[in-house]
Amino acid sequence: MTTSQPADSGEEIVRLGALAADFRRRLEFDPGIVYPAHAECLWQLGNLQIAQGDTEAGLLAISESVGLYRAMAQVQPEAYAVQLASLLNSQSNLLAEASCLEEARAVGVDAVEHARQAMASHPDKARFVLVSSLINLAGLKMRGGDTAGTVEELAQAVEVFRDGGPAGQPFLGSMVEALHRAAMAFTEVGLWPEAIDTRRLLIGLFGDAPPAAVVQLLILTLQQASVALAGAGQVETALAHASEAADLARMLFKADGTAHRLTLAQAVGNLAGRSHDAGRLKEGLDLSLEAVDLFHDAVNTDPVHAVPSLIVALDSMAAILEALGLPDQAATVREQRTQLQETLDIIAPRGEAR
């Protein structure tokens, strides 16, 4: 085989097309023979045609190639079972890119099935193919609106990944990215149970020692969910999410108080607000006082990020004091809030604070 490259993709498409035609002529004389080079030729041809914009012809060549690999996998599963599963997964992705979503999903299911079969005899080689196929199928289900199915496929991917032990570490980054993207997608459309479940799956990748940054993502999602659900009238569920976020933040703070003081302050402040929503005024006031104390310490090291959250905490405290029949104290807190806002406008003008 020559190592020189053709002048352009057009010439290569012509060359591969002629080679594929030659293989077809050979099959006319001896239809019982399948040539691996024929399958590879068609795969390369299909990908080049798709890249050049001839999607229909490219997908046909890809399908013909996969058909040949199926035949080879039946005869020599030890040599081609894992490769077939991988190619089916790639075919599913190509179909999805061409907006053939129903067919892409069917091929994706087929890829998962073949990868599971290959796991029985080639677990090390097939594991990441199975994980990748499950993630791809999860994405296709998400695009089809099957949110429960999406989380289910992701959960299976995490299980297969973790079963691989240290061998899966090279693929950890891909797993983290896939789960993070899924969680962000759920968050953007307000699917809070799915977003939270996906964040939990992300933590599950790391066993008993998840990185603090991953835990912080769950804390943030729980807080976002609590605010949104409280606004929708689901007060008790919002309170439960806020309480879990605060518990997780306390765990991080206990491990490293300096690094996670602001995280704890924000979580406790959010819990105070949700306690107010639920009518738990005394508890909310205690939490507000705790949050404000934490924020005052955090302001010294990170004022740009701490001050906006402190302002929100003071708003919540003032509302709780008002509800408790303490208008003078509420007015004092609001005055502090006004002064802080003026300070924030100086240190982070034109909406630079986040």
Side-chain angles (χ1 to χ4, degrees), residues 192 196 200 215-216 218-231 234-251 263-278 280 283-284 287 290-291 316:
W192 299 112
I196 291 168
R200 296 193 200 284
V215 178
Q216 284 181 306
L218 175 57
I219 292 171
L220 176 60
T221 302
L222 286 165
Q223 291 179 199
Q224 292 172 325
S226 72
V227 173
L229 293 172
Q234 300 181 42
V235 176
E236 290 302 323
T237 303
L239 181 61
H241 288 331
S243 180
E244 183 182 356
D247 289 343
L248 291 170
R250 291 189 193 283
M251 179 188 71
T263 297
L264 178 57
Q266 291 170 332
V268 172
N270 179 59
L271 181 56
R274 304 295 73 77
S275 297
H276 177 209
D277 295 335
R280 303 182 185 186
E283 182 179 342
L287 289 164
E290 180 187 359
S316 179

Side-chain angles (χ1 to χ4, degrees), residues 102-160:
E102 186 174 346
E103 188 177 355
R105 183 164 170 171
V107 174
V109 170
D110 200 16
V112 169
E113 291 177 354
H114 277 81
R116 287 196 185 281
Q117 292 170 11
M119 282 283 292
S121 56
H122 301 83
D124 293 338
K125 292 182 179 179
R127 186 174 305 280
F128 185 64
V129 175
L130 177 54
V131 169
S132 178
S133 298
L134 286 165
I135 289 174
N136 176 49
L137 187 55
L140 290 168
K141 287 188 174 183
M142 178 179 285
R143 291 176 68 173
D146 183 2
T147 56
T150 300
V151 176
E152 180 182 353
E153 301 298 343
L154 290 173
Q156 291 185 42
V158 170
E159 181 180 355
V160 173

Side-chain angles (χ1 to χ4, degrees), residues 171-186:
F171 312 117
L172 178 60
S174 298
M175 290 293 299
V176 169
E177 181 181 5
L179 290 167
H180 178 64
R181 285 184 176 182
M184 290 295 292
F186 286 134

Side-chain angles (χ1 to χ4, degrees), residues 73-92:
Q74 288 178 352
V75 177
Q76 301 181 59
E78 69 284 353
Y80 293 106
V82 176
Q83 186 177 7
L84 174 60
S86 179
L87 293 175
L88 284 166
N89 188 41
S90 297
Q91 182 187 20
S92 176

